[in-house]
Amino acid sequence: MINNVKKLYMYASVTNDIFEQTFGNSIVLTGFDDLLVELQVLSDVDVVQASKLITECNSWIDYLINLNILTKIYLDRFKNVQEFQNVILESIKKDKQSPLNLLKTCKIKSVEIGDVISEVMTKETETTEKVKTIKIFIQLIDSYISYLTAIFYKLSAIIKKHNSRYWNTI
Amino acid sequence: MPPKNPLNEKGNYFDVLCQMASKYLDIGLYFDGYSEVVEKYQKAAITNRDESWELAKELNAWSEYCSTVANYIQNQFLDAETTKLQVHSEKSIKFSEKNVSAGERFANTDIDVVKARMKRNALKSLYDSLISRKDFLDKAFYQCKNNTQQVS
């Protein structure tokens, strides 16, 4: 997971650009990579560190879930835009002419109409790219949530093991 | 620890979800004091038994509160889902009675369907977020409970 974090930050950066332009909200993952490093070097007998990290894991899980929920709302809005653009392109196709042929025809008749169709096609491609990026980001966050949840229970087991040893010595 | 207010003056992601959903709700959403409890939990020392015990009780009470709010939101969300399906079906039939996929595609661009979808999304998101918050509080509760045993 630590090797994959660069990919996560890369997708977070691209998704962040989309969010800031469209919704004015941003994605902040400051300190997440530090947690992953600390988890990697954790020893099974270091209970104090395990107690500190279990709190961090729990807090990050909650934080990432909320980030993912918000991202899914934004994804749905983009899907809606995509649907709208698809319908426009669909109505062009309904005229039994491919969009490109129509574009050529339109250019002869009216440059402006041709520009509008071209603009819709470009925007549709852009929206599709954005939807793909956001989907990958959501999947990456989901995988980190699963990873941190597994780590949380592992840390919990380490602490419980320590507790039972403590009680057995009394 | 994760950033407290990643969106600066807008607060955190949960606050944004609350803002989105609040316009569809006839009740207020109050979480005053929650962030203080979370801060105490994040700073709590493993060796302080009294602090862990007090914290465990507070976390448990907050978990119960979130559960109650989540149940109410779930009710609203399910109603919104029903309305969304109703509006979507009506519009879909209106656009194309014979071709289902074509009717659905056009219905999805209709402003009434979009509005119904947005309402459903906002309420579902808040519900999911509250369930995640409850899960966080339950985990934190058991962690604090373990701490009280550890230092006995």
Side-chain angles (χ1 to χ4, degrees):
Chain A
M1 292 307 267
I2 187 76
N3 298 331
N4 226 12
V5 78
K6 277 184 186 171
K7 194 178 168 188
L8 174 76
Y9 274 76
M10 191 191 81
Y11 273 95
S13 166
V14 182
T15 313
N16 191 43
D17 291 344
I18 300 168
F19 278 16
E20 279 188 334
Q21 281 167 18
T22 323
F23 309 107
N25 289 341
S26 45
I27 295 165
V28 185
L29 291 171
T30 318
F32 186 60
D33 48 350
D34 296 336
L35 170 70
L36 295 177
V37 172
E38 282 186 77
L39 288 173
Q40 210 178 29
V41 296
L42 175 73
S43 141
D44 277 4
V45 288
D46 192 348
V47 184
V48 177
Q49 182 68 353
S51 298
K52 179 189 162 266
L53 289 178
I54 199 171
T55 309
E56 279 226 34
C57 277
N58 197 14
S59 303
W60 271 105
I61 291 167
D62 186 51
Y63 181 86
L64 292 178
I65 288 176
N66 280 321
L67 171 62
N68 234 13
I69 291 170
L70 194 63
T71 310
K72 279 174 189 168
I73 288 192
Y74 292 155
L75 175 69
D76 195 72
R77 288 190 188 174
F78 272 111
K79 276 185 180 170
N80 205 49
V81 173
Q82 196 183 22
E83 195 85 45
F84 192 74
Q85 289 161 343
N86 278 338
V87 166
I88 295 173
L89 290 175
E90 194 74 20
S91 27
I92 295 168
K93 283 179 191 168
K94 262 191 175 175
D95 291 342
K96 292 180 181 173
Q97 291 181 70
S98 77
L100 277 176
N101 283 341
L102 191 75
L103 198 62
K104 282 176 196 166
T105 325
C106 288
K107 268 185 181 170
I108 299 161
K109 284 181 183 172
S110 162
V111 177
E112 286 78 17
I113 298 169
D115 283 349
V116 169
I117 297 165
S118 170
E119 179 80 359
V120 173
M121 287 174 77
T122 316
K123 291 271 182 204
E124 202 269 341
T125 313
E126 277 175 18
T127 313
T128 308
E129 286 303 313
K130 282 177 185 173
V131 166
K132 274 186 199 166
T133 307
I134 297 171
K135 273 185 181 172
I136 294 171
F137 179 66
I138 288 172
Q139 280 172 0
L140 281 169
I141 291 284
D142 270 337
S143 67
Y144 276 100
I145 291 168
S146 305
Y147 171 72
L148 289 180
T149 307
I151 292 282
F152 176 89
Y153 288 112
K154 187 191 163 190
L155 293 172
S156 184
I158 291 174
I159 296 165
K160 269 184 192 166
K161 197 175 163 187
H162 174 269
N163 286 352
S164 61
R165 272 187 197 157
Y166 177 84
W167 286 107
N168 286 338
T169 55
I170 296 171
Chain B
M1 290 297 167
K4 276 182 204 163
N5 292 317
L7 305 171
N8 302 320
E9 72 279 358
K10 283 184 190 169
N12 54 39
Y13 300 121
F14 181 78
D15 295 334
V16 174
L17 293 170
C18 282
Q19 278 167 23
M20 281 179 177
S22 60
K23 62 181 170 187
Y24 303 115
L25 295 169
D26 49 7
I27 58 158
L29 294 165
Y30 300 105
F31 291 95
D32 299 343
Y34 176 80
S35 53
E36 286 79 8
V37 175
V38 172
E39 203 168 326
K40 264 200 264 177
Y41 159 67
Q42 288 173 343
K43 287 180 181 169
I46 186 176
T47 47
N48 193 333
R49 185 189 180 186
D50 291 340
E51 189 187 24
S52 290
W53 178 242
E54 283 305 313
L55 205 47
K57 285 196 289 182
E58 276 196 72
L59 291 163
N60 199 25
W62 270 106
S63 170
E64 203 270 336
Y65 177 75
C66 286
S67 177
T68 313
V69 180
N71 286 340
Y72 178 78
I73 303 293
Q74 188 186 29
N75 176 273
Q76 300 291 306
F77 146 59
L78 291 173
D79 284 352
E81 175 78 27
T82 309
T83 310
K84 185 227 144 203
L85 286 171
Q86 186 193 1
V87 176
H88 187 273
S89 303
E90 282 170 5
K91 297 286 177 183
S92 178
I93 293 166
K94 195 180 149 193
F95 280 116
S96 175
E97 275 186 55
K98 288 176 186 172
N99 191 331
V100 177
S101 60
E104 286 203 342
R105 203 176 303 146
F106 277 95
N108 277 332
T109 62
D110 187 274
I111 190 71
D112 292 336
V113 177
V114 172
K115 276 183 187 169
R117 206 159 97 179
M118 283 173 90
K119 182 179 175 181
R120 188 273 316 257
N121 285 350
L123 293 171
K124 187 185 184 303
S125 300
L126 183 61
Y127 169 71
D128 287 346
S129 185
L130 283 165
I131 293 299
S132 128
R133 180 164 276 199
K134 190 191 169 307
D135 190 44
F136 162 78
L137 290 163
D138 290 345
K139 285 202 202 104
F141 165 77
Y142 282 108
Q143 197 187 324
C144 289
K145 194 173 133 287
N146 278 346
N147 284 354
T148 60
Q149 290 174 342
Q150 189 176 350
V151 291
S152 295

